[in-house]
Amino acid sequence: MDVLSKPANELGELILSGAISIVDLIDKVYERIMKLESKVNAIITLRSRSDLLKEAENKEKEIKRGAAKGLLFGVPVAVKDNISTKGIRTTCGSKILENYVPPYDATVVKLLKKEGAIIICKTNMDEFAMGSSTETSYFGPTRNPWDLERVPGGSSGGSAAVLAAGIVPLALGSDTGGSVRCPAAFTATVGLKPTYGLVSRYGLIAYANSLEQIGPMARNVTDVALLLNVISKYDENDGTSIPGSRPDYMYSLSNPYHIKGSLKVGLVVEMMGEGVSDEVRKVILRALDKISGEGIEIEEVSLSSLKYALPAYYIIAMSEASSNLARYDGVRYGFRAKIDGDWNKVYMETRAQGFGLEVKRRIIMGTFALSAGYFDQYYLRALKVRTLILNDFRRAFKKFNVLVGPTMPILPFKIGEKIKDPLAMYMCDIETVSANLAGIPAISIPAGFIGNLPVGLQIMAPPLHEELLLKISKIFEDKIGLRNLIAPL
Amino acid sequence: MEKLKVKIGLEVHVQLTKLKTKLFCSCPSDYRGKPPNTYVCPVCLGLPGSLPKVNSKAIEYAVMVALALNCKINRKVMFFRKHYFYPDMTKNFQITQYDRAGGAPIAVNGYLKLSTSDKEKVVRIRRINIEEDPGKLVYPTGSIITSPYTLVDYNRAGIALLEIVTEPDIETPAEARLFLQKLRSILEHLDVCDCGLEGAVRTDANISVAGGGRVEIKNIGSIKDVEKALMYEILRQKEALLKGLSIRSETRHWDDVRKVTVPLRVKEEEQDYRYFPEADIPPIIITEEFIEKIAKQMPELPDERLKRFQREYGLPYYDSSVLVSNKKLADFFEETVKLYKRNPKKVANVIINDFLRWIHEKGLELDNVKAKPKDIAELLKLLDNGIISIKIAKTVLPEIIVSGKSPSQVVKERKLLKISDKQIIRQIALKIFREHKKAAFDALKDKKAINYLIGQIMKYTKGRADPAVTGKVVKELLTDLKEGKLKL
Amino acid sequence: MEKLLEHLSWLARVKLCNYERKLLVNDIAKIMEFFNRLGEIDVKDVEPTTHVIELVSVFREDKPGKPLSLDKALKNAPSKEGGFFKAPRIL
């Protein structure tokens, strides 16, 4: 258990120095999964023990040869199951991809491998990342390690749960409207959604492609920076990848207090208003109290267009989803319904049996928002609202270094509590979607607890200001004093 | 029946066959004749997670075509998704361009001038889109109706296409043919498309007669068939109008076996393509410098070449226009002239009057003709040097077209050299005179009989006898006969 | 509303069972109301944002790469025959 609770940045050094055997480490990871997985259900596909041990042995040989290198050499990592892994099935939490084995690695997976990381498993998620609770997975809901009756948040709930359960120190999630930050908040872990275009999306199975980014998740800010160092790279396979080199995010954390002048933090009033539970508000205000002072000024700021962020987000996300999910027709890959009939009939039936209810709901609504006669009223209007939100953020960032608010408006809720009411579920994303609409980086760090239920603090920065965002997160993490938390299981 | 007003618009899909890779991925583009599904990758197969990346050369080619068609080139170009389900689609949407909803295709508002015998005709170009080709369906029984399942080959999926859309300015099927011929020649001069390849150019034609409904004929494979389909459709619609029926807007399919158009069963609601911006491809900025650079590199286009042919080779307008209507033909002509400089007009005559006729007669395309420009030049030289007669030349031509042998080789093998030796011809003539005694005596007073005798000599020598010498010999023999110097 | 749902289910090629139809007819109405909140905000003269980070397309060179092997291309196909993907009949 001791090795498993180590932060990744320490673990990596211990491995390279020979202080920790990779084989032992992987064995422990495997044991812990065997012990906890039946309770948590965080994993869709676990690589076989023999495969993992073989990889560990090979890596150990490399260390002995002195050939070992890489930022994550021998470090176990979990990958969300919507990120393509060559030779390892990638289901997106859906029946329609139950047996799909990609013939290629996502760019981020290539980068992980290049730095020596060991991919342990593919983690559970809401079907096609559509959800905020990891309940819509075809493979069953993931449970929150802090309270097994409750959801871990979503859609990257499996990735958050393996962190909180102390299985691995690092995980990849994806964030379309909060899917990294929401489960981070619900599990007292740290999750970052980078600037749109900072991390390659090549190989990330699209839900809403104009909004989403792959994001690093860990149990502390430093490990998030480490994982971001690995996955953040210009990728010529992704037309939306921002060209140019990336800063060394770990290096920038080495002296986090080195920020010019005093730090101006804007507390977004729209994010503390209606719909935010008193408990959450209390924890956030208490955390901000700890943070303020010593050159950190916190002031309220209003971004009035945020009131419209949620419907704008859902119109755009559902529209794009209806398009991105059109390809699942059972001809080239994936599930096909076993019925006789012409292609229309077989497609209709394949998609009826292959998709879950929430996916169908979003495909239908997205088809509606794009259809003739409604396009201007819904989709185009939503894109214009997006412009207004962008402008509001630009204005706010002229005055503030970062903006803060709660990550989630409520505490982790009970499994089954919201699944029957789609709008209630959508409301969970009210704090997170605006960062996706604006393409800006946003992070969730632990702010505190109500009983054993975690609350996350969200921090947002201007585009491509991940360095600043991580520095500030590190300062806040120090001041709040919550890091490397593992749920008692 | 009075002449009814016909309006025709064309949508031409042109594969950019000269690209080495597909539009959005680096799969090779020469998929023709390759085993199915061997030219595919995660991107063109539409595998989950794959992303498109635009081929720079495709943009260059599109700009070249846009300039050649006098279009306005948009400075900020966007890609859109067009949604419809079909088994030849790998994503069930096509990445294309759109001119509404904030979209901007590569080029708009151009025109193409056509020269017909009596007037100059302008066909306006509405827009040019860059888009991807779908895969190919194969019906195991050979028929879409009886096949119990469908086989799909995605090698073609993702091949770069230009969709060139005209305004409904075309008034006759012949004009449609002229438009397509000229477009084809332009594309070949630009060296962006080998239009002769199967499926490289596919046309949708829409037509309305006398203000009736707009009928769209989908996916016509050849220029000839576009003309035929339109003629068929005009007839069909006129007949319907005569019967007092109204023409409804519909989509029809060109059946190139039966040479008729047949209605396609399309559900009305299927036409909602739900266009929206392709977020995976950021806008493409076309700079003034880029356009200027391309404009400078533009090769000679058919119109300029036509003028040059008139100027440089002294060819009449008609000859020049026939030659430049097909780039390969024009190239063939110029190659030949290089080897036979003394008389370009003579080269043009042989190519237009004889060469083309034989190609047509043998059912060939310029591509699979074996004869090379040097062969035509050689043939003309043999003729000039009196080695063969014009008649022989005309029999040699089809053989070199098919066999690829040189003219002199054919002449040698088939012993086709011209006979101009007076002694030999005299011997042959004597033999003919003796075999046709009556004709010989008739010829003393009847000109027709003289021609008959000459004809017999030609027949005997298989056309090899020099006509001038033969005429002279026959005349001398007849004089001898008349004067009694010759006994038959 | 039921007719609209049927149309959308056809456009999206997703068959819906009776239970789902009942549920979704209800949901659509609610979600549309939720969407309609955007009607409150003035978007006159506002340009739509189609690409959130202002990037210009970076092109790919026209240089051929290696395609997938036939084996890999067909590996995930639910049905195949002689190197082809096998799809349902058209008519």
Side-chain angles (χ1 to χ4, degrees):
Chain A
M1 184 60 213
D2 207 18
V3 226
L4 295 186
S5 63
K6 289 234 178 292
N9 60 83
E10 288 173 30
L11 198 59
E13 277 166 37
L14 291 171
I15 290 169
L16 282 180
S17 69
I20 291 178
S21 139
I22 303 176
V23 174
D24 281 357
L25 173 65
I26 295 303
D27 233 3
K28 290 217 169 75
V29 169
Y30 206 86
E31 264 172 41
R32 186 142 177 97
I33 290 172
M34 290 298 112
K35 188 178 152 208
L36 298 179
E37 178 57 9
S38 60
K39 290 186 197 167
V40 182
N41 192 35
I43 296 171
I44 292 177
T45 302
L46 173 63
R47 286 177 65 200
S48 77
R49 191 158 186 263
S50 57
D51 269 9
L52 286 170
L53 287 177
K54 207 157 109 198
E55 189 178 336
E57 279 160 21
N58 287 336
K59 286 215 148 66
E60 240 160 53
K61 277 182 207 151
E62 276 181 58
I63 290 181
K64 282 189 190 123
R65 280 208 318 271
K69 59 173 197 290
L71 289 172
L72 300 178
F73 196 84
V75 175
V77 176
V79 175
K80 189 178 180 181
D81 209 23
N82 59 352
I83 298 173
S84 303
T85 40
K86 189 173 175 174
I88 305 174
R89 82 172 171 152
T90 300
T91 70
C92 249
S94 181
K95 179 181 178 185
I96 212 154
L97 287 178
E98 189 176 1
N99 298 310
Y100 170 65
V101 180
Y104 75 106
D105 270 332
T107 301
V108 291
V109 171
K110 273 191 191 158
L111 293 170
L112 282 179
K113 289 181 176 172
K114 198 176 142 231
E115 296 300 334
I118 298 179
I119 293 169
I120 303 291
C121 58
K122 302 297 294 291
T123 57
N124 203 4
M125 55 184 283
D126 281 296
E127 186 179 4
F128 281 99
M130 296 177 187
S132 317
S133 66
T134 316
E135 288 169 286
T136 69
S137 169
Y138 172 66
F139 302 91
T142 295
R143 290 165 183 277
N144 191 330
W146 292 94
D147 180 344
L148 294 173
E149 299 292 298
R150 292 177 189 265
V151 303
S155 62
S156 314
S159 286
V162 290
L163 294 171
I167 291 171
V168 292
L170 296 175
L172 288 182
S174 72
D175 190 314
T176 311
S179 285
V180 159
R181 290 161 287 156
C182 157
F186 276 7
T187 58
T189 54
V190 181
L192 169 73
K193 181 205 89 76
T195 302
Y196 187 80
L198 189 80
V199 175
S200 168
R201 287 184 297 115
Y202 193 78
L204 169 67
I205 300 182
Y207 151 32
N209 50 315
S210 85
L211 298 163
E212 58 209 7
Q213 274 285 291
I214 291 171
M217 302 171 81
R219 288 188 295 258
N220 63 70
V221 172
T222 311
D223 278 357
V224 162
L226 170 67
L227 189 49
L228 187 63
N229 261 1
V230 172
I231 62 172
S232 160
K233 196 163 184 263
Y234 168 67
D235 180 14
E236 57 174 23
N237 288 322
D238 176 357
T240 60
S241 175
I242 296 169
S245 63
R246 312 287 195 254
D248 182 340
Y249 302 105
M250 281 288 273
Y251 180 78
S252 61
L253 290 191
S254 60
N255 192 359
Y257 292 89
H258 189 74
I259 292 173
K260 271 184 219 152
S262 73
L263 195 61
K264 296 209 117 195
V265 176
L267 173 61
V268 182
V269 291
E270 282 77 11
M271 300 179 91
M272 291 292 271
E274 206 189 329
V276 180
S277 78
D278 291 343
E279 293 150 312
V280 168
R281 195 176 291 131
K282 202 168 76 191
V283 173
I284 294 295
L285 289 175
R286 213 169 9 178
L288 291 178
D289 228 29
K290 287 186 195 165
I291 292 162
S292 71
E294 290 176 61
I296 299 176
E297 286 171 42
I298 301 176
E299 213 179 285
E300 287 195 339
V301 57
S302 167
L303 281 75
S304 60
S305 62
L306 292 197
K307 269 186 287 185
Y308 303 98
L310 200 62
Y313 165 78
Y314 270 98
I315 290 172
I316 294 169
M318 288 172 171
S319 300
E320 291 179 7
S322 74
S323 170
N324 289 323
L325 271 63
R327 70 188 64 193
Y328 304 103
D329 57 21
V331 172
R332 293 158 301 284
Y333 45 81
F335 167 81
R336 184 195 294 187
K338 284 161 195 64
I339 55 152
D340 183 48
D342 65 24
W343 69 278
N344 273 315
K345 192 175 168 199
V346 177
Y347 278 26
M348 297 274 287
E349 195 64 40
T350 292
R351 291 162 64 79
Q353 294 178 26
F355 289 138
L357 179 61
E358 183 56 29
V359 171
K360 287 180 201 169
R361 185 183 285 127
R362 295 195 191 193
I363 289 176
I364 293 284
M365 287 313 298
T367 304
F368 166 70
L370 290 177
S371 64
Y374 296 102
F375 180 84
D376 288 2
Q377 188 184 345
Y378 292 114
Y379 187 74
L380 199 61
R381 199 175 181 89
L383 292 187
K384 290 177 179 177
V385 172
R386 195 171 184 182
T387 307
L388 295 176
I389 290 169
L390 261 167
N391 291 342
D392 264 2
F393 271 113
R394 277 190 196 129
R395 259 194 301 274
F397 283 128
K398 275 189 190 142
K399 198 167 166 208
F400 297 97
N401 297 94
V402 291
L403 300 173
V404 295
T407 307
M408 296 302 291
I410 49 170
L411 293 173
F413 45 90
K414 290 230 164 99
I415 290 173
E417 192 182 317
K418 290 182 188 290
I419 196 75
K420 291 240 162 69
D421 182 354
L423 277 177
M425 190 69 94
Y426 301 168
M427 290 304 159
C428 294
D429 303 337
I430 193 153
E431 313 283 11
T432 45
V433 295
S434 50
N436 301 83
L437 287 168
I440 60 172
I443 195 170
S444 178
I445 62 170
F449 283 83
I450 296 287
N452 63 337
L453 298 180
V455 172
L457 173 70
Q458 184 177 207
I459 315 162
M460 292 167 280
L464 293 174
H465 281 58
E466 274 78 2
E467 241 185 318
L468 172 79
L469 180 63
L470 287 163
K471 271 186 182 189
I472 291 174
S473 301
K474 180 76 165 53
I475 297 170
F476 288 8
E477 183 182 62
D478 286 349
K479 297 202 173 212
I480 295 169
L482 295 175
R483 65 157 70 90
N484 299 330
L485 302 175
I486 291 173
L489 270 162
Chain B
M1 185 154 144
E2 67 187 297
K3 209 167 151 74
L4 293 174
K5 179 91 177 149
V6 173
K7 280 171 125 180
I8 297 167
L10 300 176
E11 253 175 55
V12 193
H13 297 94
V14 176
Q15 282 187 343
L16 296 175
T17 63
K18 296 289 176 144
L19 292 177
K20 291 187 185 74
T21 65
K22 294 184 179 183
L23 181 53
F24 296 122
C25 64
S26 54
C27 279
S29 59
D30 57 331
Y31 66 90
R32 288 181 173 79
K34 300 295 189 299
N37 299 305
T38 53
Y39 275 32
V40 292
C41 74
V43 177
C44 58
L45 262 187
L47 291 191
S50 64
L51 295 170
K53 196 75 197 285
V54 181
N55 184 338
S56 60
K57 207 81 186 172
I59 304 293
E60 259 177 55
Y61 283 1
V63 168
M64 281 166 73
V65 174
L67 287 173
L69 297 180
N70 311 293
C71 291
K72 175 182 164 275
I73 294 164
N74 278 318
R75 293 301 186 268
K76 188 178 171 188
V77 173
M78 305 254 286
F79 280 96
F80 267 57
R81 291 182 181 180
K82 175 185 183 178
H83 299 86
Y84 61 96
F85 284 85
Y86 208 62
D88 62 3
M89 304 282 286
T90 56
K91 306 181 292 292
N92 290 314
F93 60 78
Q94 180 193 35
I95 304 179
T96 177
Q97 299 187 311
Y98 196 45
D99 50 4
R100 274 171 277 168
I106 184 86
V108 293
N109 299 339
Y111 64 88
L112 185 59
K113 276 187 188 158
L114 306 179
S115 304
T116 58
S117 50
D118 51 337
K119 57 175 177 178
E120 192 158 77
K121 165 99 196 176
V122 175
V123 176
R124 288 170 299 158
I125 309 289
R126 185 180 295 168
R127 62 180 153 84
I128 301 176
N129 283 348
I130 308 173
E131 60 187 31
E132 52 177 346
D133 219 350
K136 229 175 167 170
L137 302 184
V138 175
Y139 306 107
T141 67
S143 152
I144 190 172
I145 298 161
T146 57
S147 290
Y149 55 89
T150 315
L151 297 174
V152 200
D153 170 14
Y154 292 109
N155 282 347
R156 195 181 70 181
I159 292 287
L161 289 180
L162 292 185
E163 184 192 55
I164 301 168
V165 183
T166 78
E167 297 289 348
D169 291 343
I170 297 165
E171 289 162 299
T172 65
E175 273 178 18
R177 171 173 48 78
L178 279 177
F179 175 88
L180 290 169
Q181 276 169 349
K182 182 143 185 191
L183 179 62
R184 174 178 171 153
S185 182
I186 289 173
L187 295 167
E188 290 187 332
H189 277 85
L190 293 173
D191 201 26
V192 298
C193 173
D194 194 343
C195 301
L197 293 175
E198 188 261 319
V201 180
R202 282 122 51 198
T203 306
D204 298 345
N206 57 71
I207 174 167
S208 74
V209 175
R214 182 173 169 278
V215 172
E216 186 171 17
I217 315 162
K218 283 268 186 206
N219 226 351
I220 317 172
S222 76
I223 297 180
K224 263 181 257 164
D225 277 2
V226 170
E227 193 178 12
K228 280 184 202 157
L230 287 169
M231 290 198 292
Y232 176 87
E233 204 39 39
I234 291 174
L235 264 177
R236 186 186 72 83
Q237 294 190 25
K238 276 186 178 170
E239 266 172 36
L241 289 171
L242 268 181
K243 286 182 200 151
L245 301 169
S246 68
I247 303 295
R248 65 191 174 98
S249 293
E250 64 172 343
T251 304
R252 297 176 75 87
H253 167 78
W254 170 244
D255 183 334
D256 62 0
V257 179
R258 292 189 296 149
K259 305 290 176 201
V260 295
T261 67
V262 288
L264 268 181
R265 274 195 317 157
V266 179
K267 283 203 182 185
E268 271 311 304
E269 58 243 304
E270 202 165 12
Q271 295 302 335
D272 191 347
Y273 291 129
R274 287 160 288 138
Y275 284 96
F276 84 114
E278 171 55 280
D280 289 337
I281 305 174
I284 291 162
I285 304 299
I286 311 272
T287 61
E288 205 63 54
E289 298 84 73
F290 181 75
I291 297 174
E292 268 167 36
K293 199 184 105 199
I294 303 270
K296 269 191 204 134
Q297 296 167 356
M298 288 281 275
E300 185 185 42
L301 290 173
D303 282 351
E304 300 156 34
R305 198 173 194 186
L306 188 150
K307 284 189 193 120
R308 182 167 62 80
F309 276 18
Q310 291 176 278
R311 196 174 62 233
E312 197 174 319
Y313 303 123
L315 297 185
Y317 175 84
Y318 172 79
D319 292 23
S320 311
S321 71
V322 172
L323 292 171
V324 302
S325 71
N326 180 331
K327 174 171 188 281
K328 284 175 186 158
L329 189 67
D331 290 348
F332 196 98
F333 165 77
E334 290 210 87
E335 288 291 309
T336 312
V337 168
K338 261 187 214 155
L339 303 167
Y340 184 85
K341 294 199 180 77
R342 61 185 94 153
N343 193 344
K345 172 66 182 147
K346 206 164 174 181
V347 176
N349 286 348
V350 170
I351 288 180
I352 295 170
N353 301 332
D354 303 301
F355 185 64
L356 275 185
R357 181 172 61 86
W358 278 114
I359 290 176
H360 187 71
E361 218 152 278
K362 301 268 177 196
L364 297 169
E365 292 289 332
L366 204 48
D367 278 335
N368 40 36
V369 164
K370 294 264 177 65
K372 298 281 170 285
K374 68 169 173 49
D375 301 320
I376 303 297
E378 190 189 327
L379 189 70
L380 289 170
K381 281 178 192 162
L382 289 176
L383 198 60
D384 283 356
N385 299 342
I387 295 167
I388 57 170
S389 65
I390 182 82
K391 199 163 171 214
I392 294 298
K394 287 187 190 229
T395 62
V396 172
L397 188 62
E399 186 156 344
I400 63 171
I401 286 173
V402 177
S403 70
K405 290 176 186 164
S406 74
S408 47
Q409 197 183 350
V410 174
V411 166
K412 205 169 137 197
E413 278 175 15
R414 293 191 30 206
K415 302 192 174 70
L416 294 174
L417 285 179
K418 192 156 79 175
I419 306 165
S420 37
D421 187 319
K422 204 171 159 184
Q423 277 311 108
I424 296 171
I425 293 178
R426 193 181 161 88
Q427 274 171 28
I428 294 167
L430 268 174
K431 181 174 152 63
I432 298 294
F433 270 50
R434 287 188 174 122
E435 282 169 11
H436 301 84
K437 275 183 194 162
K438 187 172 176 314
F441 286 110
D442 287 351
L444 292 173
K445 44 201 184 270
D446 184 357
K447 276 247 157 90
K448 268 190 203 156
I450 297 179
N451 287 342
Y452 175 79
L453 288 170
I454 292 174
Q456 288 305 313
I457 294 165
M458 286 299 171
K459 194 176 161 193
Y460 183 81
T461 60
K462 298 199 176 76
R464 291 163 60 213
D466 185 317
V469 179
T470 309
K472 213 167 151 196
V473 166
V474 169
K475 221 176 194 176
E476 283 173 17
L477 286 177
L478 285 175
T479 313
D480 288 355
L481 190 63
K482 196 174 177 184
E483 292 171 2
K485 286 183 200 158
L486 178 66
K487 294 267 183 299
L488 290 178
Chain C
M1 199 59 84
E2 266 169 51
K3 229 178 143 189
L4 174 67
L5 185 61
E6 198 182 323
H7 172 62
L8 295 172
S9 134
W10 163 254
L11 264 187
R13 297 295 189 285
V14 179
K15 202 178 109 184
L16 299 169
C17 66
N18 282 337
Y19 168 74
E20 288 170 326
R21 259 203 301 276
K22 237 191 265 164
L23 218 59
L24 288 183
V25 161
N26 191 25
D27 290 349
I28 288 182
K30 277 200 278 185
I31 295 171
M32 260 161 98
E33 206 182 298
F34 167 61
F35 284 0
N36 284 337
R37 277 192 217 167
L38 290 194
E40 294 169 15
I41 192 167
D42 183 14
V43 292
K44 216 177 122 232
D45 303 324
V46 179
E47 284 293 308
T49 296
T50 53
H51 297 82
V52 69
I53 298 298
E54 279 173 35
L55 272 187
V56 169
S57 260
V58 181
F59 298 130
R60 178 175 58 77
E61 235 187 289
D62 187 28
K63 231 168 73 187
K66 229 180 111 200
L68 287 175
S69 66
L70 179 65
D71 226 30
K72 277 192 176 153
L74 291 176
K75 188 167 181 282
N76 283 289
S79 182
K80 54 199 160 191
E81 182 178 297
F84 289 93
F85 291 91
K86 206 165 156 186
R89 62 174 195 261
I90 296 298
L91 297 174

